Amino acid sequence: MSDTPSDAYRPDQVEAKWRARWAERRTNEPNLDSPKRPFYNLMMFPYPSAEGLHVGNMFAFTGADVYGRFKRLMGFDVFTPMGYDAFGIHSENYALKIGTHPGVLIPRNIRNFRRQLEGMGGMFDWSHSLSTTDPSYYKWTQWLFLQLFKAGKAYKKKAAVNWCPVDKTVLANEQVENGRCERCGALVEQRFLEQWFFRITDYADRLLGNLDRIDWSDTTLTAQRNWLGRSEGAEIDFAVASANSEPGTRNSERIRVFTTRPDTLFGATFMVLAPEHPLVARLTAPDRKAEVEAYVKAAAAQDLVSRKTGARDKTGVFIGAHAINPATGQPIPVWIADYVLMEYGTGAIMAVPAHDERDFAFATKYGLEIVRVLASETDAKSGRLAPLTEAEVETQGFVLVNSGPFDGAPAEQSKRAITEWLAEKGQGKPVVQYRLHDWCISRQRYWGPPIPIIYCEGCGPVPVPEKDLPVILPDIPDFRPDDSGISPLARHEEWYYVACPQCGARARRETDVSDTFLDSAWYYLRYPSTEFDDRPFDRKRTETWCPVTSYIGGNEHAVLHLLYSRFIAMVLHDLGQVTFEEPFTRFRAHGLIVKDGAKMSKSRGNVVIPDEYIAQWGADTFRLYLMFLGPFQEGGDFRDAGISGPRRFLDRVWSLVGEASNESGDELSKDIVVRWHATRKKVAEHYEVLHYNTAISALMELVNALKDTGCKDRNIVRDLVVMLAPLTPHFSEECWERLGQQGSVFDATYPQWDEALTVGSQVELPVQVNGKTRAKVMVNRGATQEQALAIALA
RNA sequence: GCCCGAGUGGCGGAAUGGCAGACGCAGCGGACUCAAAAUCCGCCGGGGGCAACCCCGUGUGGGUUCGACUCCCACCUCGGGCACCA
């Protein structure tokens, strides 16, 4: 109304004032040792880029912060830590590009992030922050590696790896997208290097099974299930016929295949081995040798890239050997082809062209026999089987044909029946396969934690004794990788050569650093224990705060980060280090903020930096605007046109607070009381499921109702301020103080609603005839159908 | 190709079996003002009617139901993930 200018809402003054108070009063630092109701509110820590926090980060962190603040008002001791995921190829590439050492850049970026994070008004406990690049942190990342090494969960092997010729490093399979480097887009090549792996595949069963009992976003659960890729099937042994291809003669070799379709065994008319299969050299007939070797060589040169992404034209070579189909007893030719992958199953398949698309294409191209062994029930009875023009891969309603004793049996049941039949003959067994591969954690780069292993001529690989941790990443000016595949660390001789911890002889350090995902796989364990420098995580603190109560982050980490974190938790659980095996009790994926319909990225030049908006509108208005854009878990398109709406709303609340402080004790109308209690209920319920946009609209409706009726009731206004507080923390603190309340609004309690008061005593009931609303009547709540009908008919 | 998710006014979105379009933005009209901004009041899916009202309307086509944005079937479009995984 007649707000004098001095009385107007001034975000700049309000926000600075309350941030200073929070710091001074340690408002955001819960008692970590003896909380009454601990609530660990975690959000995915950012990579501190040179560009600073962007709107996407701000959106994600605000949404998580709102939830934590709401839980605090609900009476929990909420711990909301924040840190920096600062190691990795991102930082290193940027450092190389601008010619500044990452050890200089990262602290600078972190200072900028800290300024921005404080500016957004998050409830962060800065007394428990961390950066993965800090030796006091990566000391324990190295310790973690040693625990896995000692438990036999880390091993080294020479393996075909994805090599990025631009970044000059090995990439995890997960970091290759369509055969190209996830970061720079270069075509990935195949190289063979000694790599450290973690045995995550040992945990495939548990990683899959536990998904049924954690409260996570469905999309994330689905992504993890797909990534694990469980397949039930059978391993079947095929005897090899003698090299001269004479039917009936056998040698001692066996080709073991994995199949999910043992029901089609009678239709297996040839076999295919991966070109790298160890049996290829032994089974190849002399007269086929030249051609086979040429194919194998070509496949190796072809690398993992075109293997997986190139044209799907099937190519292959007959190796001059035959195997015996254990069902039919017939000899079938053995081929090699690059569509069979060595890293999945046994690296060999039985080919059933009639019922597999790939085998069909291959058989058609090379004129191999196609035998139909499944048909619809009617076709099977009539005995008339039309030739196939494409592979028939369905099983529903299909029965076996051309399958000896199994003719007429339903396809689905025959999977098990045929496997059992083979098992009795000692030629097969049921098997479960996973798509998941072991986790390669080696990186031939500079900006990461050195893997704490020492190589000694006499002793072999020796773990660095825990008392010698951390193995400090040396500060070397020339950290540029070259294409030798040798880490830049090997060029730093005083660091590289070291006495063997066991025999004292001159030995060499491992020069690979570990994958950034290892840093982030355990950071949540460190936050509550940052002040302990003699242990990675304090047992009591961990038991008090972990597993994480609520974790919020982007679904781009649905598989990698979240899967690795779960794996590490399981290992630590099995080693007796932690009491839980699932680190994140509840996980919610937030949506993505896009700009003009496209993902924000530096290359598109559409990255929005929040600083200018915060400077112009204040953090609270900006937070409110971001949360009002749409459902938090769906994200939305960033358009700054709508930001004035939230600001107008705050101005209205501000003036309500000013007016309410001068009067009280209004006679409240029934309608207002219902609105008041209904709002308490609705807002709480919507916060709980992260529907912030509708929580905000409910608060707006309450304000509109107060304005429409001229109600300025103090108690309602006070509630409004509390309910709004998670979204607009500084603003609400100031309003709280202006209402004459003591202390922080975050030490208040979220107002309880009286369920009976959340609904009016009468409801308007639409009267519909043939689905059309014909009239509306007012009836008492709880009226019976007869009563309502009587009123309607009257 | 397979697996998820989504299609509602000019725009962001609400309603998950019961009055479609809450809330907000933009727009239009009015009040205040010398004027503008801000603020306040009103209108705001389409069509018809002087009016009370009536008809149509939630990607498309079918279905279930007294009643469908909501459930079922098929299809189209967009977004995301996986992709020669046997």
Side-chain angles (χ1 to χ4, degrees), chain A residues 422-493:
Chain A
L422 286 170
E424 280 166 27
K425 301 199 291 174
Q427 288 183 304
K429 62 178 180 202
V431 155
V432 171
Q433 271 291 331
Y434 287 91
R435 205 190 69 101
L436 180 73
H437 298 339
D438 273 343
W439 174 16
C440 175
I441 61 138
S442 289
R443 295 293 178 275
Q444 288 69 40
R445 296 291 289 227
Y446 169 68
W447 193 236
I451 293 173
I453 290 287
I454 291 167
Y455 297 102
C456 169
E457 291 281 336
C459 310
V462 179
V464 172
E466 286 180 20
K467 66 173 173 55
D468 294 342
L469 294 181
V471 176
I472 294 283
L473 179 68
D475 183 4
I476 56 175
D478 181 19
F479 53 91
R480 187 175 296 272
D482 58 30
D483 57 7
S484 64
I486 296 169
S487 161
L489 292 177
R491 303 197 294 261
H492 191 268
E493 294 203 352

Side-chain angles (χ1 to χ4, degrees), chain A residues 665-737:
Chain A
D666 291 7
E667 278 291 315
L668 292 177
S669 75
K670 179 74 180 164
D671 284 350
I672 280 292
V673 171
V674 168
R675 168 73 67 183
W676 181 16
H677 281 264
T679 305
R680 287 172 161 184
K681 177 184 159 94
K682 184 175 177 186
V683 171
E685 288 177 351
H686 287 226
Y687 273 144
E688 187 54 49
V689 294
L690 318 184
H691 289 182
Y692 303 138
N693 56 330
T694 46
I696 294 166
S697 67
L699 292 168
M700 288 173 166
E701 284 179 281
L702 177 62
V703 169
N704 291 346
L706 292 176
K707 285 186 72 76
D708 288 349
T709 57
C711 174
K712 291 159 187 169
D713 183 81
R714 234 186 130 70
N715 294 324
I716 299 182
V717 173
R718 193 198 54 224
D719 275 10
L720 177 65
V721 167
V722 175
M723 290 189 285
L724 191 56
L727 294 153
T728 57
H730 322 82
F731 174 85
S732 296
E733 289 276 34
E734 184 69 17
C735 291
W736 189 248
E737 190 176 76

Side-chain angles (χ1 to χ4, degrees), chain A residues 382-394:
Chain A
S382 73
R384 278 194 301 273
L385 300 180
L388 292 168
T389 54
E390 58 180 357
E392 176 53 78
V393 297
E394 291 299 317

